[in-house]
Amino acid sequence: MFHLSQMDQIFLKSLADVVRTSRTTSQYDKLTFTTQTIADIKNEIQSRQESVRYQALLKLFFLAMEGNNIRWAEFQIINLMGSGDFQLKLGAQLAAHLVIDNQSQGLIMVTNVFIKEFKCGHVECSTTLSCLGTIANKDLSDNLLTHVLKLTTNTKPLIRKKAIAVLSKIFTINPMNISGNLEMVIQQLQKETNISVLACGISLFCSVLKVAPKLYPLFLSIVYDQISKQKSNWLLIKLVRISNKLISLEPRFQGKLIEHYTRLLNQTNSKSLQYELIYSIMKYFKNHSQLYESAGDILKQFLNHQDPNLRCLGLECLTHISTSAGLMEFQEQILESFKKSDYFSKLQILQLFKDFTNQQNFQTVIEFFLKHSDLESNHKIIESLIFIITKDKFINVDDPEKLLLIYIPVIAQKIDTIDNAIRFKEMLFELLTRVPGLKVYSDQLCNQILQTYATQSDSLQGPTLNIVQRHTQLKYSLNHREIIFKSLIMIVGESVKLLKLEALTNIIQFLEQLNILNCYESSLSDIDSLLFKIYIQIIKTDPQNEIIPQIEQLIKNIYNKLHNISIVKISFFYESLIQNKSKDQLQELQNLYEEDLPPINLEAQKFIKPPEGLDLSKSFQIDIEEIEKIKNTNSEYIEQKQLIQQQQQQQQSDSNQKEQEDQNNQIERRQENEEELKQFNNKVDPSPKKVFKINRDEELPPGIDQNDIKKFKEEE
Amino acid sequence: MINFILMVNKQGQTRLAQYFQFLSVKERMTLEGELIRKCLSRSETQCSFLEHRGYKIIYRRYASLYFIIGMDLEEENEMAYLEFIHNLVETLDKYFENVCELDIMFNIEKAHYILEEMVMNGQIVETNKTQVLAPIHVLDKAKDE
């Protein structure tokens, strides 16, 4: 400690000087200024003059607000807490929370200081209690518990309220202190009339309930007494909040509160109290219709209010309704408020609908959100819509046909992120797998979505997803449009057998457009395999060869436009296949690969020139025993081969019968599909529509056999 | 429970900070910087409630100062805390008479004292302006004498 000379005191900087200098100092000189100031403070805080120390303390405060570390001053501040000057003590106590934490070594020194302060005047005592409430740790709270308990009976309400507030921290830090002491505090609170003290008491009960919820019976009577007679809004808010906790622990308490809640709801104008009551009623009083209705009316006012804070709180309240029927009641108001809401509130509303949409409001919800999506919230809206559609294996979807042909194309157009494109793809695959009859509409779906893609030239704009193929290590990038494009191509490829000739022709004509081929370069191999599937299907279904030449020309045009070398290599086989115009040659290829090749083909020698000097009539084998062995094995082989051939013939006859039955079934299915398409094209909405059953079992859906899957795999 | 109360100006300078759980200086500066940036980016048509780093944030703007309260995410009445912020500003205004940012900067210990009278251990203990300012008037009288 040292004494500043008069000269030094003249040049002593006060807080105001430091503040002014800080504001005028440039950013580059700030560090120098701060270092210099801290050095001055370190000197001044050890001065004997209280005014100097006080100024140092204030400057320390300011530096802490500026973001400087002042923990080095812990010992000095604790020292100042024991000072004789009240102003210094107060400053030190206020600064304590900046330098002291639970593990500070200096807390041991503070105990006696606090005990001494508790015996002083009410102002010193109250400031000490405030400081204790901020810095208390387990040891300090155990040491000072008895003193604090004594202060709860002080004549001054200021002291009583702060003592109870400190007790809530002591009981939270060490719940062992509760037993024996809590009952005493409750008895005092039952006689208490000061609102602030009672409010602190209710906060104490809340803290105890967190740590020891089984003690709730001690609080029931006092809470009920206060809620029936109090008029202070702040206290009532605390009482309603603690009542929520008590109701969850003791449901019978709910019945006692109905009358008081009704009275408060009708009388109060305070929005915060109304909100607290509505929140409690929505969560716990659903069975009491009259109260629930009155709360619902006020909630509707909140949802329609001009103040965005009240709208936000109204939405938060609705999350506790937890039933779809409950949400339906407020649906109109919620959707109206969506139009005016900010991004955060829109997310809240989307979350609500994600949780509570059902079959009844499914169409309304989808149509509304598709209509009111904007740039900022579009990706979240699409994500939520896909979630609502796919929730619980399409439990909300009652009309899969309408979903596929009307809503899904609109959703596809609005997708602008890769994540949503992947979700969309998965949704589409799952929908078409679970609902067997929908694959027939795959070409219409493609047309509707891809028409927009053809007109827009922004092919690779936006973020892209980098993909490395496993078997080829080929790297390419996809944006969201291309992901959807690939998935649609794949879907059409899988439904080729169900589509009509006209539909298949339209698809090839669409793909012929040069801008499609240029835009979706990474998907050319998918387009390639689709063309191959379409071509094979057309060959099977066009026995009279009417459309095949047209199709072949279209496919040739496509390959002419392709300049990508890798695609040319892959399509070499297809091109040569197309050049074989006769069907018989294709059949020959098939026969070639179906039969087993014999070990020696006598006719091969016609084309293979034997080497010079080789005598074909001369036998290789000189050993007669070996020759006989070979003859025997050959004869055994020939016998076995005959048996195998007989078996194969029997199998062929069986499979021919099956094929005939399949063809008959296909013809029947085609007829049914034509009738369905007619109905849709007429845009009539007949009540007895074909009911699409969504298969929600995890096994294979009906209409799909293991053989079909094998065939698809073989073809691919 | 309230975890912190801040008064930050538009330049991101903290004028008053009261934390009810201990955070290091670095954590405080990061948190304050992020919060003020978030609050500045919000328009007047947006609500005053948001979530940040596991805290529920309630803020209100008065001229160039943002009053920010950070609470636990558990059920709390945001409207009540919004009204508390207004109550705090009215109390400061009553004491300083037309309070401004400079009043808080030059009388930082008094601003802290008023706040401590209103909030203790993260709980609101007093909202009556007269009761809050009574001890500080006693101190001012004693100082004058």
Side-chain angles (χ1 to χ4, degrees), chain A residues 390 394 421-431 487:
Chain A
T390 55
F394 301 93
I422 293 170
R423 286 188 193 106
F424 178 83
K425 182 183 88 171
E426 285 166 5
M427 175 189 72
L428 213 53
F429 286 162
E430 216 184 320
L431 182 67
S487 56

Side-chain angles (χ1 to χ4, degrees), chain A residues 86 162 196 276 283 309, chain B residues 48 75 77 117 124 126 139:
Chain A
F86 175 69
K162 290 205 175 182
S196 312
E276 195 70 46
K283 202 168 175 184
N309 295 324
Chain B
S48 298
E75 302 152 11
N77 189 332
E117 286 295 307
I124 298 171
E126 186 63 69
L139 285 172

Side-chain angles (χ1 to χ4, degrees), chain A residues 623-637:
Chain A
D623 192 355
I624 297 166
E625 284 178 8
E626 283 296 321
I627 291 168
E628 281 178 8
K629 269 187 192 176
I630 290 165
K631 273 186 191 172
N632 289 336
T633 51
N634 262 347
S635 62
E636 281 173 17
Y637 172 77

